[in-house]
Amino acid sequence: NAGVTQTPKFQVLKTGQSMTLQCAQDMNHNSMYWYRQDPGMGLRLIYYSASEGTTDKGEVPNGYNVSRLNKREFSLRLESAAPSQTSVYFCASSERTSGVSSYNEQFFGPGTRLTVL
Amino acid sequence: AQSVAQPEDQVNVAEGNPLTVKCTYSVSGNPYLFWYVQYPNRGLQFLLKYITGDNLVKGSYGFEAEFNKSQTSFHLKKPSALVSDSALYFCAVSALRETGFQKLVFGTGTRLLVSP
């Protein structure tokens, strides 16, 4: 069981370049998330996918797009990278249960460290 | 809107001493509270959660947390700290939407340093 995997681990981009961060989970979770972590700001939600076929904006979606390719995979795309997008990006997944039981813990990948010059 | 405050950027404690990492929250309705730990160059790992029931919640690696509704707090504790507990700790609160979908709001993190 690999859990949540992310590729690449590190990436350096020039301003204006595009790239896609890949994420996959093998725990059969319904819900997946993308966060960014910046010093002194904790984790901020970029986009999430409650279930296969749905995506929704989080707290800081500007400059990003996502695709829920299937139940396992959830990718994050930067169409035109900016220095403000220099950050560590984490993908996470969790079970989703119905009604008020949607309080399951999230499982995180190892992160992608992105630098935009 | 839901929010979490971790008032201390860093907590220093000597090995063998008890440790407390503080967290207060603001949420409409019932809070679902979580603690996560992050070791250097790693993703976050789940430690424990409070959903309902007993106010004292026990989790991984000997950690526990006490839910206090009147003080809107969920402090993380451990009776005897280890050097290996040194890490970044995040408190988080669940933000329920009308669909019942969980969205976590994280605090800014507290760095715990345990000295030998």
Side-chain angles (χ1 to χ4, degrees), chain A residues 95-104, chain B residues 32 49 51 96 100 102:
Chain A
E95 282 285 352
R96 182 187 181 189
T97 49
S98 61
V100 298
S101 301
S102 50
Y103 44 67
N104 298 303
Chain B
Y32 300 149
K49 66 182 177 184
I51 304 300
L96 286 181
Q102 175 208 49

Side-chain angles (χ1 to χ4, degrees), chain B residues 2 5 12-13 15 30-31 45 48 64 106:
Chain B
Q2 289 74 19
N12 297 303
V13 64
E15 189 172 34
N30 293 324
Q45 295 178 32
L48 51 80
E64 57 190 28
F106 286 85

Side-chain angles (χ1 to χ4, degrees), chain A residues 16-108:
Chain A
Q17 288 185 317
S18 62
M19 79 161 294
T20 299
L21 281 64
Q22 306 286 353
C23 173
Q25 53 91 9
D26 62 2
M27 294 172 283
N28 204 35
H29 286 165
N30 287 307
S31 304
M32 298 185 74
Y33 316 78
W34 276 106
Y35 294 91
R36 58 178 289 173
Q37 182 179 24
D38 301 292
M41 303 192 74
L43 273 75
R44 293 181 292 170
L45 183 65
I46 305 171
Y47 270 93
Y48 66 95
S49 172
S51 58
E52 187 179 357
T54 69
T55 61
D56 207 347
K57 294 179 180 179
E59 186 183 355
V60 288
N62 291 345
Y64 305 96
N65 283 301
V66 291
S67 295
R68 184 73 183 266
L69 305 169
N70 47 56
K71 192 172 185 179
R72 289 187 64 248
E73 299 172 288
F74 188 39
S75 63
L76 178 72
R77 183 161 177 83
L78 285 70
E79 291 291 351
S80 179
S84 60
Q85 293 178 305
T86 294
S87 187
V88 182
Y89 291 85
F90 288 101
C91 177
S93 70
S94 70
E95 282 285 352
R96 182 187 181 189
T97 49
S98 61
V100 298
S101 301
S102 50
Y103 44 67
N104 298 303
E105 58 267 30
Q106 295 181 14
F107 292 80
F108 285 79

Side-chain angles (χ1 to χ4, degrees), chain B residues 4 20 27-28 33 43-44 59 66 84 90 96 98 109:
Chain B
V4 172
T20 298
V27 65
S28 300
L33 294 153
L44 277 69
E66 187 168 12
S84 57
F90 290 96
L96 286 181
E98 58 276 10

Side-chain angles (χ1 to χ4, degrees), chain B residues 97-110:
Chain B
R97 297 168 64 91
E98 58 276 10
T99 59
F101 179 72
Q102 175 208 49
K103 194 167 65 169
L104 277 182
V105 174
F106 286 85
T108 53
T110 298

